[in-house]
Amino acid sequence: MANSDSLVQLSDALSGLAAGARAFLAEIRNPDGHRLSGVLWKANAVVVSEQALPDSPEYEVKVADSVVKAHLAGRDEGTNVAILRLERDIATILPPQAVPRLGALALVLGTGANGTTARLALIRSVGGPWESLAGGTIDHRITLDAPVGDSEEGGPVLAADGAILGISTRGAGRQSLIIPASTIERAVNVLLEKGSVERGWLGLALRPVALPETLRPNSSQRVGLMVMDVGTDSPAAKAGILAGDILLSAGGAAATRLGRIARQLGPNSIGKKIEITLARAGAIVASEAMITARKTG
Amino acid sequence: MSALASKLALHPLRVAIFAAEPQRLAMLSQWVREFGHVVVTQSEDASIVLTDGIVAAGGNLPTVALGMDGETYQARLPSDASPEQIDAALRAVAVGLSVTIADEFGGGFEAVHEDDERTLLTPREVEVLTAISNGLTNKEIARELDISRHTVKFHVESLMRKLAVSSRAEAVSKSIRLKLLEPYRI
């Protein structure tokens, strides 16, 4: 009977985790009746998935037996984190934060039509930092092997020891992802204080291109980023960059991947100068641009 | 009009609608009526079920479910599906098809797309592909880029080989699908 005992223990452990999450699992509703999930991250702040949150002048947040009105504190498309500020604090203790290990079990919690929902997932992959299309850097690319339903998106994902790994979200092709707790933690503080997360901006529209041999700055760099367009009055325009130039490096990093360049334009880059090398008309040209804040909206 | 199209136009569907929220129920009912169907209140009178978040609403009837990812239904759409998508799903399910949202329309939090280096186009090929997708002939491309028609032909052949396509039209449609000409803005 040893085997069935361990199955009972696993089952009990999982249902224990789900019950414990009542203290921070949030159900969010807007006046249209649209429902989604979130995490009570601080006593006055609920984290939700930015892409899943409809615009609304007011939301209703339910955590355990408390129902509190809430308003949008800010959105960060770059990390897919939005924060709702509660009108009244709800006492909470968030579990310790952790980065999962590949192949570990995770409990994916959310809300559905019939109350709290739970899914058991395997940590399908754990990668390094990645850049989102919207310009944010996420600490780890973590995928799950369980689907995440519409109303479940934004709910907490817990490790077997009860640690919070982050919130669930959906990537391209309905891939289930975790926004890691460390990335959320950074966004929460900035959003509560400023309402948005600023990012650096150069005003360049880029496309990767294969470098003809004559334009390679060294034998190992076979790819550059072609400038398709330069924004009017943008830092790139002021630095004299022209459409048709090919970006070879920026800030010392070879311009072989879009993500490598995007990574240098984080919130701390604003106001700093960045060295740029370009291929123009068969010659290599050096320039320097002053990074400004990207307009959000 | 095809036989199927005329059949759909002449036979409005009898739709039973379920939603947890009264406002949502009213909105869905309005959409369904606007598309020419009949909204019924009893499942027994219905030929099809449209449900928003309520499980097992219609017994054995074909069902279009909104925002119910984990369940098995003939049609599963996101909860923010457009009225047109809902209408198309109702009609499709009524004639025995199943419907899910295509990945391209599913959205989702996306990573920066990094192209495969092996099939990356050269700057000239990007210019030529842009010109082809603007409908220019080789002669016009040669004039615009100030290169010979022979050189244009060389670039066209090279980019078609990289894209693994056999016609200019296919090159354009593939470049749209793979977002090959869509720049990343920083």
Side-chain angles (χ1 to χ4, degrees):
Chain A
M1 289 301 286
N3 285 343
S4 79
D5 282 352
S6 52
L7 196 56
V8 169
Q9 280 172 14
L10 173 66
S11 175
D12 287 350
L14 288 169
S15 59
L17 278 181
R22 265 173 58 86
F24 52 87
L25 170 63
E27 175 180 331
I28 294 99
R29 283 177 181 231
N30 73 2
D32 296 343
H34 191 102
R35 186 193 294 113
L36 75 153
S37 306
V39 176
L40 182 65
W41 206 265
K42 292 168 176 269
N44 67 342
V46 167
V47 171
V48 295
S49 161
E50 194 280 331
Q51 68 180 2
L53 183 73
D55 279 320
S56 177
E58 187 177 271
Y59 304 86
E60 195 178 85
V61 171
K62 184 164 177 268
V63 180
D65 298 321
S66 311
V67 180
V68 176
K69 292 216 184 307
H71 303 273
L72 182 67
R75 290 178 181 266
D76 177 31
E77 280 180 47
T79 56
N80 193 30
V81 169
I83 305 295
L84 301 179
R85 188 183 273 115
L86 303 180
E87 284 189 356
R88 178 166 57 77
D89 287 4
I90 302 176
T92 185
I93 301 169
L94 200 64
Q97 301 170 8
V99 178
R101 282 175 314 182
L102 176 67
L105 291 178
L107 190 64
V108 185
L109 298 166
T111 63
N114 301 312
T116 301
T117 61
R119 295 181 193 258
L120 182 60
L122 205 67
I123 300 294
R124 187 170 175 273
S125 65
V126 181
W130 59 286
E131 281 69 41
S132 73
L133 203 53
T137 300
I138 295 92
D139 295 342
H140 296 277
R141 186 166 182 96
I142 306 165
T143 62
L144 297 166
D145 78 336
V148 175
D150 282 347
S151 65
E152 298 162 22
E153 184 173 354
V157 184
L158 302 178
D161 63 2
I164 185 159
L165 303 174
I167 63 168
S168 65
T169 192
R170 291 201 299 216
R174 311 222 125 195
Q175 192 176 40
S176 298
L177 300 172
I178 297 180
I179 304 294
S182 57
T183 303
I184 296 171
E185 190 72 41
R186 269 201 316 276
V188 168
N189 294 326
V190 177
L191 286 175
L192 280 175
E193 196 185 321
K194 296 181 179 167
S196 64
V197 175
E198 285 196 324
R199 277 176 221 296
W201 185 63
L202 290 173
L204 288 172
L206 300 170
R207 262 293 339 138
V209 287
L211 284 178
E213 271 178 40
T214 50
L215 291 180
R216 290 182 191 167
N218 55 60
S219 56
S220 64
Q221 186 170 347
R222 307 164 75 91
V223 177
L225 300 173
M226 186 172 172
V227 178
M228 310 296 282
D229 190 29
V230 180
T232 314
D233 292 329
S234 66
K238 286 173 187 156
I241 299 173
L242 304 170
D245 287 351
I246 297 165
L247 190 65
L248 298 175
S249 74
T256 51
R257 296 170 74 84
L258 291 164
R260 291 182 76 167
I261 304 303
R263 204 176 301 172
Q264 302 192 50
L265 299 172
N268 299 327
S269 69
I270 298 162
K272 293 190 177 149
K273 284 184 176 169
I274 185 165
E275 284 172 28
I276 285 168
T277 55
L278 304 156
R280 176 184 298 165
I284 293 179
V285 180
S287 181
E288 196 177 57
M290 169 77 85
I291 302 168
T292 61
R294 179 200 292 224
K295 289 164 203 82
T296 53
Chain B
M1 198 186 273
S2 74
L4 180 61
S6 59
K7 187 180 171 201
L8 286 174
L10 290 173
H11 295 275
L13 301 168
R14 303 177 62 79
V15 188
I17 306 179
F18 299 88
E21 306 295 325
Q23 304 99 309
R24 182 71 173 153
L25 183 63
M27 168 129 289
L28 290 173
S29 302
Q30 190 192 331
W31 288 349
V32 167
R33 284 197 194 93
E34 280 172 11
F35 280 107
H37 306 300
V38 179
V39 175
V40 298
T41 48
Q42 302 283 328
S43 297
E44 299 88 77
D45 303 330
S47 56
I48 192 163
V49 169
L50 172 62
T51 178
D52 185 324
I54 297 182
V55 179
N60 296 323
L61 288 172
T63 299
V64 174
L66 305 175
M68 299 173 74
D69 252 14
E71 318 290 335
T72 309
Y73 290 105
Q74 287 78 7
R76 286 182 290 117
L77 298 181
S79 50
D80 59 356
S82 69
E84 289 75 18
Q85 287 173 324
I86 292 171
D87 175 55
L90 287 169
R91 290 174 190 273
V93 167
V95 293
L97 304 179
S98 68
V99 177
T100 54
I101 197 117
D103 284 346
E104 298 97 288
F105 296 99
F109 185 49
E110 269 187 82
V112 174
H113 179 74
E114 305 281 5
D115 297 82
D116 185 345
E117 272 189 34
R118 287 165 301 180
T119 54
L120 218 47
L121 304 180
T122 64
R124 264 297 190 231
E125 287 161 0
V126 170
E127 288 172 338
V128 170
L129 180 58
T130 306
I132 291 177
S133 59
N134 288 335
L136 270 60
T137 63
N138 280 8
K139 194 175 160 186
E140 290 164 332
I141 295 170
R143 198 181 310 138
E144 182 164 310
L145 299 182
D146 198 18
I147 50 180
S148 75
R149 277 164 76 177
H150 180 76
T151 310
V152 173
K153 206 171 159 224
F154 170 81
H155 289 308
V156 171
E157 278 167 10
S158 170
L159 75 87
M160 281 177 38
R161 199 165 47 240
K162 283 184 183 172
L163 297 179
V165 296
S166 52
S167 72
R168 295 161 80 96
E170 212 187 329
V172 173
S173 74
K174 193 157 185 180
S175 73
I176 292 169
R177 190 157 49 81
L178 299 179
K179 301 181 179 176
L180 287 184
L181 295 174
E182 224 167 85
Y184 179 63
R185 294 176 191 280
I186 59 167

